[in-house]
């Protein structure tokens, strides 16, 4: 009955939502931000430990739907070791992917490409980018709350 | 009047609820290839043909501004609009039609009371008593008022997942500082039916003014403001077969007479000069500007429709569906259902194991079923219950037990998808 949904709920997404990576407190973190989706009350907080310009470690906490949780989880694996600028570029490509289903040809999206089905469910785009907003806000400032609205 | 019902008007007849679906054109469609099963009635209900005809007929034949013209169409529009007021007064058993103010809905009705009665009568130190199960629209207007007046809010507690008001200690809550008790008749999340008459009578004995949020009850059961004994009651037309942007605030006439106006403008004045104006009597004093004329007229048609079916019958049907859904859904493994087991309204909120509400709703949608997922404008209640969001199915007169079976089977399929499809991979 749900075959149509297989492109949204890909195996990797289900897997990451069940067993999120980099989930929990991050001792020694120096940048934090919280993201909120007012539509559903979902909330994710991201903690980052920067080494100069480089993301040395990153973790998240919070609750959300499978898309939101998996996105946060895959994001943390993608961002570790990246510079702030690389992180911003990656988000732009990811954002384009979840909005249009199309990734720029040179995009090194890797596992992030499993979110290619999200664009067909406009109500769920916010779920996919919630953690990214929080992570970028954390790295840009230090203590911030961001909202998907 | 115009409700096209073929049912005989006797008290003993049984109703073929599935047949009522014929009155609702929107229900006859497929969604994602499956017959639409609409279970988001607590958010808004669908509209019967009689209401659509009233809307359309007004614009096709009678449209003109009210209370202003002397020409034929204006007279017709005014007569129909004021006729709708009388219809609403009968629907609620108000003593007189002057007690009926047309609004955009429950939210506007509550804000009107907060900004008029509340602004005039509340002071620093006064208490506005609400309950822990209120919709945001019966919290935020009072927070704004409290911010302006120095009054403070207090909340009657509920008993955990069962979601009943703890009335054993009601007397202790009704202190001399309490000036207003405002509560929802039926919870849009828990399905709890609060004993409105009992609450109002105990408050009244202490001189406390009462407001009933009837958003979820008005289209679902008989309502009698005199029997309830409330000072104010607010409802939304769109949740009772009427059009969006229509609604009623009932106010006991003695209260309305003692309230300043809220919005200023045309229609609410007696005379205006450059520096000073005088107001009309209630209810017109509280209806500034051109009202939602078509909405009020179509809302009256919705009231006709509901009474032709029988609100007592609808209430019974609602409770049967609520009880049936409770039985069927709680039989699913890992499902946590909020609200009372018995005597509940046709609203069921639940968590399907650890599957998030947004995922449940997305999957149900694929199966043609409209559910709501989220906090249902009940964030404080959710927090109290340790939840962020739930899935919710809410029923109305055109829903059947067969449809609840279909919902149950679909939820079982969703569980299966999430347990078998997500064996962890690398
Ligand atoms: C209990 C309750 N009160 C108030 C409201 C607000 O109604 P409206 O949005 O029509 O003003 C709702 C609707 O969601 C409700 O369920």
């Amino acid at each position: 009955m749900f075959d149509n949904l297989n492109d949204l709920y890909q195996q990797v997404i289900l897997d990451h939502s069940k067993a999120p990576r980099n989930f929990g407190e991050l001792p020694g973190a120096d940048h934090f931000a919280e993201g909120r989706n007012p539509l559903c009350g979902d909330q994710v907080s991201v903690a980052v430990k920067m080494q100069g310009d480089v993301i040395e470690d990153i973790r998240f906490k919070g609750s959300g739907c499978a898309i939101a949780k998996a996105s946060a989880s895959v994001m943390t694996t993608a961002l570790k070791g990246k510079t702030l600028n690389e992180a911003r570029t990656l988000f732009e490509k990811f954002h384009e992917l979840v909005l249009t289903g199309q990734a720029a040809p040179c995009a090194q999206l890797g596992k992030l490409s499993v979110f290619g089905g999200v664009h067909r469910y406009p109500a769920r785009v916010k779920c996919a980018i919630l953690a990214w907003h929080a992570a970028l806000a954390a790295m840009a400032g230090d203590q911030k709350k961001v909202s998907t609205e | 009047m115009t409700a096209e019902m073929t049912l005989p008007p006797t008290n003993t007849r049984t109703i073929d609820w599935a047949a009522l679906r014929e009155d609702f054109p929107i229900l006859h469609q497929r969604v994602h290839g499956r017959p639409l099963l609409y279970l988001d009635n607590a958010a808004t209900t669908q509209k019967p043909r009689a209401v659509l005809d009233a809307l359309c007929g007004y614009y096709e034949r009678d449209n003109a501004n009210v209370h202003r013209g002397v020409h034929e169409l204006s007279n017709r529009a005014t007569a129909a609009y004021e006729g709708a007021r009388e219809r609403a007064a009968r629907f609620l058993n108000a003593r007189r039609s002057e007690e009926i103010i047309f609004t955009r809905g429950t939210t506007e009705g509550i804000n009107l009371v907060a900004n008029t009665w509340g602004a005039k009568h509340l002071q620093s130190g006064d208490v506005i008593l609400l309950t822990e199960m209120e919709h945001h629209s019966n919290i935020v207007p009072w927070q704004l008022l409290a911010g302006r007046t120095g009054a403070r809010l207090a909340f009657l507690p509920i008993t955990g997942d069962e979601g009943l008001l703890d009335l054993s200690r009601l007397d202790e809550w009704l202190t001399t500082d309490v000036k207003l008790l405002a509560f929802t008749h039926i919870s849009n999340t828990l399905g709890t039916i609060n004993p409105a008459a009992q609450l109002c009578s105990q408050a009244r004995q202490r001189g406390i003014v009462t407001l009933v949020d009837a958003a979820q009850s008005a289209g679902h059961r008989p309502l009698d403001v005199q029997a309830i004994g409330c000072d104010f009651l607010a409802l939304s037309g769109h949740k009772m077969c009427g059009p969006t942007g229509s609604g009623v605030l009932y106010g006991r006439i003695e209260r309305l007479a003692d309230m300043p106006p809220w919005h200023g403008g045309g229609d609410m004045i007696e005379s205006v000069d450059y520096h000073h104006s005088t107001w009309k009597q209630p209810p017109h004093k509280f209806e500034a500007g051109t009202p939602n004329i078509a909405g009020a007229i179509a809302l009256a048609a919705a009231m006709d429709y509901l009474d032709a079916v029988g609100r007592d019958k609808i209430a019974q049907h609602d409770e049967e569906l609520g009880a049936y859904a409770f039985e069927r859904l709680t039989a699913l493994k890992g499902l946590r259902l909020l609200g009372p087991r018995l005597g509940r309204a046709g609203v069921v909120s639940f968590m399907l194991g650890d599957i998030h509400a947004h995922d449940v709703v997305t999957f149900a949608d694929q199966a043609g079923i409209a559910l709501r997922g989220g906090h249902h404008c009940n964030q404080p209640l959710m927090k109290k219950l340790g939840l962020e969001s739930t899935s919710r199915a809410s029923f109305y007169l055109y829903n059947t037990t067969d449809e609840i079976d279909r919902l149950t089977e679909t939820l079982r399929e969703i569980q299966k998808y999430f347990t078998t499809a997500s064996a962890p991979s690398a």
Side-chain angles (χ1 to χ4, degrees), chain A residues 5-122:
Chain A
L5 283 170
N6 289 342
D7 66 330
L8 178 61
Y9 290 85
Q10 298 207 16
Q11 187 61 47
V12 175
I13 291 180
L14 290 169
D15 169 26
H16 274 259
S17 75
K18 281 247 149 162
R21 323 294 198 266
N22 304 307
F23 187 84
E25 300 287 344
L26 178 59
D30 38 32
H31 290 68
F32 307 87
E34 189 181 288
R36 247 177 207 293
N37 185 345
L39 174 70
C40 48
D42 285 349
Q43 168 260 323
V44 53
S45 48
V46 175
V48 188
K49 192 168 168 188
M50 300 291 288
Q51 177 77 261
D53 199 27
V54 176
I55 300 164
E56 188 186 308
D57 206 353
I58 176 167
R59 288 192 179 201
F60 79 101
K61 286 188 305 189
S63 63
C65 62
I67 308 299
K69 256 206 213 135
S71 172
S73 171
V74 177
M75 174 192 79
T76 57
T77 62
L79 287 185
K80 237 185 251 192
K82 296 266 190 314
T83 66
L84 181 51
N85 269 340
E86 286 168 341
R88 287 204 177 109
T89 310
L90 196 57
F91 174 60
E92 278 166 26
K93 303 217 158 99
F94 177 73
H95 198 190
E96 189 181 340
L97 175 76
V98 296
L99 283 178
T100 67
Q102 242 121 66
C106 59
Q108 301 274 298
L109 282 171
K111 253 196 187 159
L112 292 171
S113 58
V114 297
F115 294 93
V118 172
H119 75 103
R120 261 180 240 117
Y121 304 83

Side-chain angles (χ1 to χ4, degrees), chain A residues 6 9 11 38 42 63-64 66 124, chain B residues 356 359 362 375 388 417 421 425:
Chain A
N6 289 342
Y9 290 85
Q11 187 61 47
D42 285 349
S63 63
R124 309 302 294 278
Chain B
H356 192 276
D359 299 317
T362 300
H375 51 62
E388 250 105 38
Y417 187 101
S425 63

Side-chain angles (χ1 to χ4, degrees), chain B residues 42-43 105-108 135 137 184 186 188 213 215-216 236 238-239:
Chain B
T106 306
T107 302
E108 191 178 61
H135 187 277
S137 67
T184 191
I186 293 181
N188 63 309
D213 171 350
Q216 294 297 338
S236 298
H238 72 95
K239 291 183 199 281

Side-chain angles (χ1 to χ4, degrees), chain B residues 27-47:
Chain B
L27 296 178
H28 306 281
Q29 63 176 299
R30 287 181 166 260
V31 166
H32 301 304
R34 290 167 212 274
L36 166 64
L37 171 44
Y38 186 79
L39 297 179
D40 197 14
N41 293 287
T44 197
T45 67
Q46 301 303 347
K47 324 303 173 198

